[in-house]
């Protein structure tokens, strides 16, 4: 019998009896539940998570569409908005880990007979749930302003799964950043220094061939561009009037995205687990 935190993260609760694998899944589920209950108790998190994608969809599709020299900018835009939102949603892991570290909760977790990685799995799973909700709200909003997927339900579902998998892998990057900064107040500025270049120097909002040559070269090899290209192809939102992508990554976006997901998990999951075991309260 392992002793775990309860859903508030403030006391013991009975864990799972069985193999180490079963106990790991039990630990991970309890840590995930803790983060989901936290969202319920602090609904502001969910409210702003919902409002942000609605704001971006309406701003870009209604305010900026007239300035874009292309037909049906909304269809072109939506895959980029989806990618931007799920990547920005991954910052919750970094902010939450930074706050838990400041509050001494991570030290408490380390004193409990639970898997070291369970807290991290629970935190990133919480981000995944938030991003799934954001995706649903964005799709409803996009449908209202004229966006449609035209490649069938299977391709549509594959595109959604790919976006969520990428966001989950990126949550581990942000979790490591959250445990590395000196205070929770720093995490937003630190994360946006990474996220803004990734999302805006890409094909998310404008075609790459319209960029200056230097920025275009960066955008072509930006992994976010491959993610957006994959989503556009799966949703049937590509523009046939645009030139063919010049880089290998955009010619093979699915391979690029899957390789990026695997690489992030292989690199950052062990780094996060190691960092979690060494950090102390600030």
């Amino acid at each position: 019998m392992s002793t775990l935190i309860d859903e508030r993260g403030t006391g013991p609760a009975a864990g799972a009896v069985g193999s180490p694998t079963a106990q790991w899944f039990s630990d991970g589920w309890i840590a995930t539940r803790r983060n989901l209950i936290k969202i319920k108790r602090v609904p502001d998190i969910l409210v702003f998570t919902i409002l942000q994608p609605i704001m971006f969809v309406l701003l870009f599709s209604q305010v900026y569409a007239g300035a874009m020299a292309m037909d049906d900018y909304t269809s072109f835009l939506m895959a980029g908005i989806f990618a931007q939102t799920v990547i920005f949603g991954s910052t919750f892991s970094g902010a939450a880990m930074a706050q838990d570290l400041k509050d001494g909760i991570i030290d408490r977790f380390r004193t409990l007979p639970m898997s070291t990685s369970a807290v991290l799995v629970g935190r990133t799973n919480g981000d995944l749930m938030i991003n799934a909700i954001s995706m649903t709200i964005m799709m409803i909003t996009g449908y209202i302003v004229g966006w449609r997927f035209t490649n069938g339900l299977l391709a549509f579902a594959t595109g959604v799964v790919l976006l969520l998998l990428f966001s989950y892998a990126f949550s581990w990057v942000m979790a490591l950043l959250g445990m590395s900064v000196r205070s929770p107040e720093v995490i937003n500025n630190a994360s946006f220094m990474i996220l803004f270049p990734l999302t805006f120097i890409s094909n998310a909002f404008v075609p790459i061939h319209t960029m200056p040559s230097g920025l275009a070269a960066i955008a072509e090899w930006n992994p976010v561009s491959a993610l957006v290209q994959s989503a556009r192809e799966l949703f049937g939102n590509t523009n046939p009037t645009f030139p063919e992508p010049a880089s290998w990554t955009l010619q093979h976006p699915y391979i690029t995205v899957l390789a990026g997901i695997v690489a992030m998990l292989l690199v950052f999951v062990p780094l996060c687990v190691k960092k979690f075991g060494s950090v102390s309260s600030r």
Side-chain angles (χ1 to χ4, degrees):
M1 180 75 70
S2 66
T3 304
L4 302 175
I5 57 171
D6 67 6
E7 63 268 20
R8 294 170 297 176
T10 58
V17 176
S19 67
T21 301
Q23 291 181 8
W24 183 87
F25 277 107
S26 177
D27 292 353
W29 163 243
I30 291 176
T32 300
R33 188 181 175 197
R34 169 187 177 263
N35 289 297
L36 295 178
I37 290 176
K38 184 177 180 180
I39 294 172
K40 179 182 177 181
R41 292 177 176 172
V42 188
D44 295 9
I45 297 174
L46 196 56
V47 169
F48 286 104
T49 297
I50 292 172
L51 289 178
Q52 179 178 302
I54 294 175
M55 180 187 68
F56 272 110
V57 171
L58 295 178
L59 276 176
F60 279 89
S61 66
Q62 304 302 308
V63 177
Y64 299 139
M68 300 297 176
M70 71 175 75
D71 295 329
D72 197 9
Y73 179 66
T74 299
S75 292
F76 173 86
L77 168 72
M78 288 308 298
I81 292 287
F82 293 153
Q84 182 198 50
T85 301
V86 297
I87 292 172
F88 276 27
S90 67
T91 60
F92 286 115
S93 282
M97 295 305 296
Q99 189 63 49
D100 284 351
L101 187 57
K102 179 181 179 181
D103 295 340
I105 295 176
I106 287 181
D107 285 343
R108 180 176 176 83
F109 285 148
R110 287 210 304 265
T111 66
L112 299 174
M114 63 187 297
S115 170
T116 301
S117 60
V119 178
L120 297 165
V121 169
R123 180 61 263 166
T124 52
N125 283 348
D127 274 6
L128 186 62
M129 299 294 183
I130 291 174
N131 276 323
I133 294 171
S134 295
M135 285 280 292
T136 303
I137 299 300
M138 276 191 300
M139 288 173 182
I140 294 171
T141 308
Y143 191 87
I144 292 172
V145 299
W147 170 74
R148 299 292 185 272
F149 63 89
T150 61
N151 225 12
L153 283 174
L154 180 59
F156 169 75
T158 303
V160 172
V161 169
L162 204 61
L163 285 162
L164 292 177
L165 284 176
F166 190 93
S167 74
Y168 178 75
F170 202 78
S171 290
W172 288 90
V173 180
M174 292 293 104
L176 180 64
L177 182 63
M179 291 185 288
S180 301
V181 297
R182 291 185 176 274
S183 71
E185 291 76 15
V186 176
I187 187 66
N188 282 336
N189 290 335
S191 60
F192 281 122
M193 288 182 66
I194 299 172
L195 298 181
F196 269 91
L198 274 176
T199 53
F200 283 95
I201 308 179
S202 72
N203 60 353
F205 305 112
V206 296
I208 290 178
H209 69 269
T210 65
M211 298 180 182
S213 57
L215 289 178
I218 296 172
E220 285 176 347
W221 291 92
N222 183 345
V224 174
S225 292
L227 178 64
V228 173
Q229 183 70 16
S230 298
R232 283 198 181 115
E233 291 183 5
L234 289 166
F235 296 156
N237 296 151
T238 56
N239 192 320
T241 65
F242 292 168
E244 288 293 320
S247 66
W248 187 93
T249 55
L250 294 185
Q251 292 171 358
H252 305 86
Y254 310 116
I255 296 174
T256 302
V257 173
L258 290 173
I261 291 169
V262 172
M264 281 190 285
L265 291 175
L266 288 177
V267 172
F268 287 98
V269 170
L271 288 176
C272 282
V273 173
K274 182 178 180 181
K275 187 70 173 179
F276 185 87
S278 63
V279 291
S280 58
S281 297
R282 295 161 179 146

